[in-house]
Amino acid sequence: MSKGILIVDDAAFMGMMIKDVLSKNGFEVLGEAENGAKAVEKFKELQPALTIMDITMPEVDGIQAVKEIKKIDPNAKVIMCSAMGQQAMVIEAIQAGAKDFIVKPFQADRVIEAVKKVMG
């Protein structure tokens, strides 16, 4: 298991923003994926310490991807992020195995706080 982080978001600028926040705070970003299907592939390949996953994406959404990742590694650490701060989505993400939830537009310090908490 590596120390790095996998970022999954279909919006390239969001991925870049998260990557920027993490890099500036000393975290290593191992890779990025633009949908849930690619996220699962990248997870297998990179074995990140943490995955930051968008919920709403084409093909395979974030919640389905979390379920797949949890099948591969039941101890996988995932933080969900989405512009939809809907209670049902949050609950579904947590039930799927997410450790935390960040609502977009996010504050940089909230991202770092969540990452530090989840990575221990």
Side-chain angles (χ1 to χ4, degrees), residues 27 33 48 57 63 66 86 93:
F27 293 99
M57 294 182 291
I63 290 172
V66 170
Q86 297 163 333

Side-chain angles (χ1 to χ4, degrees), residues 61-78:
D61 72 15
I63 290 172
Q64 192 54 49
V66 170
K67 290 176 182 171
E68 292 298 316
I69 285 171
K70 285 291 195 176
K71 282 182 199 162
I72 299 162
D73 178 2
N75 299 314
K77 293 177 178 168
V78 182

Side-chain angles (χ1 to χ4, degrees), residues 51-118:
T51 303
I52 298 179
M53 176 104 56
D54 187 20
I55 287 186
T56 317
M57 294 182 291
E59 292 180 52
V60 177
D61 72 15
I63 290 172
Q64 192 54 49
V66 170
K67 290 176 182 171
E68 292 298 316
I69 285 171
K70 285 291 195 176
K71 282 182 199 162
I72 299 162
D73 178 2
N75 299 314
K77 293 177 178 168
V78 182
I79 295 175
M80 303 305 287
C81 71
S82 178
M84 298 182 303
Q86 297 163 333
Q87 216 49 42
M89 283 283 193
V90 176
I91 292 164
E92 200 177 343
I94 300 295
Q95 285 172 339
K99 301 277 186 211
D100 205 342
F101 195 94
I102 302 165
V103 179
K104 295 178 194 169
F106 47 77
Q107 305 297 319
D109 54 357
R110 173 68 186 108
V111 174
I112 297 306
E113 175 197 318
V115 168
K116 284 180 176 168
K117 186 178 95 180
V118 173

